[in-house]
Amino acid sequence: MTNPLIAVYRSKIYTAIALLLTVLIIGVLGFRFMSNYTWVDAFYMTVITITTVGFGEVHPLDDASKIFTIFLILTSVVIVGYALAIITEFILSKSNFEDLKQKKMQKKIDGLSNHIIICGYGRNGKQAATKLSAHKQPFVIIEKNKAIIEKFEDENTPFVYGNANEDETLLQAGIDRASTLISALPNDADNLFVVLSARQIKSNLRIISRASQETSYEKLKLAGANNVILPDRIGGDHMASLVVVPDLIEFIDNLAIVGENNINIEEVQVERLYDPNTSVKTIRDLDLRNKTGCNVIGFKTRDGDYVVNPEAEQQLVPNSKVIVLGRPEQIKKLNTVFSLD
């Protein structure tokens, strides 16, 4: 995304270059036809005149050529001065713009709370960011590769340039206000340091870490990671499952958890379905099937335990969640009926 200010300066630079080329062409033609110089001598005379280096004339000039030379010198001094001023201003403004952009981005990050911090914008980091964006979850990305930041940064994707192993960088990303940290660095040792640092800064932070080696799983858990994901093992299990139960896996793959218009599964807090402080309702009382067409396929208790295919008499106590399944239009109706959007 090109900043308008940078575009204006580029336009001015192009104008300055065009003026310099125009003066150069006029000078060459003038010396060639007014003083009968060769093309090489005419070009040479034009260059030393425009740059005011003070070399002598190739051949003596008549009065008309001298007047032309004076005009060329005065014109070139103005144009060259203009070009130098524009280039200098562009360089300084670009530096200032980068500072202003960084301050603006940091101000936006400082205004976030209960957001997610993604450490590393490699393949796994990008996938996490895409999912979070689709689900409209605020997040901040920590990346130490400046080239990656310059390539992917925009107003909707806040980046923090730095090493996620350093406490200062984590604090700059707002870890003290964040709800979750995803460490998606390619090196397990780096992930371990990030988990240790993050857990030390905020004890109740939810931490999800990537691991390349199975031997790193327990170490990351001991360091304080709530969840440790092994992408390679997940990929292998998935491919094997396609052989053993291909239709089932294909069906699950077609279920969309996040997206614009194709969501099939939704996780909903009980408090958003009704006020549990008045009187505790059951799944039967909500009657989601008749109201929206969705089916309750799971229930998460306040203690974090999961119940698959819960009974209709399951009480929906505060701080619990229900997991519903339905076609996209049914999920949309659920969001509309209970004002979940």
Side-chain angles (χ1 to χ4, degrees), residues 1 33 48 53 74 76 93 143 200 205 211 280 284 319 325:
M1 182 181 293
F33 295 106
I48 65 174
V53 295
L74 294 176
S76 61
S93 67
E143 176 57 55
Q200 184 179 17
L205 181 72
V280 177
R284 185 192 302 278
N319 299 320
L325 174 68

Side-chain angles (χ1 to χ4, degrees), residues 210-277:
R210 174 190 185 275
S212 301
Q213 305 295 327
E214 292 191 15
T215 53
S216 302
Y217 182 90
E218 290 299 330
K219 296 176 183 177
L220 287 164
K221 278 283 191 178
L222 288 172
N226 299 93
N227 304 97
V228 179
I229 307 300
L230 291 156
D232 294 338
R233 188 172 71 179
I234 291 175
D237 287 345
H238 190 81
M239 288 185 285
S241 298
L242 284 171
V243 176
V244 179
V245 282
D247 295 333
L248 175 59
I249 298 302
E250 187 175 358
F251 172 77
I252 294 174
D253 286 342
N254 285 326
L255 294 178
I257 298 174
V258 295
E260 291 294 331
N261 300 308
N262 59 343
I263 300 176
N264 298 114
I265 301 177
E266 187 76 270
E267 177 189 81
V268 186
Q269 294 179 338
V270 167
E271 288 82 355
R272 302 188 68 184
L273 297 174
Y274 81 102
D275 184 4
N277 295 319

Side-chain angles (χ1 to χ4, degrees), residues 97-107 109 146 153 159-161 172:
F97 169 69
E98 290 296 328
D99 292 340
L100 289 173
K101 185 173 70 172
Q102 182 58 44
K103 289 180 181 178
K104 182 179 179 181
M105 186 64 71
Q106 189 59 50
K107 185 177 180 180
I109 293 172
K146 190 68 174 180
E153 185 178 26
F159 278 89
V160 171
Y161 173 59
Q172 190 177 346

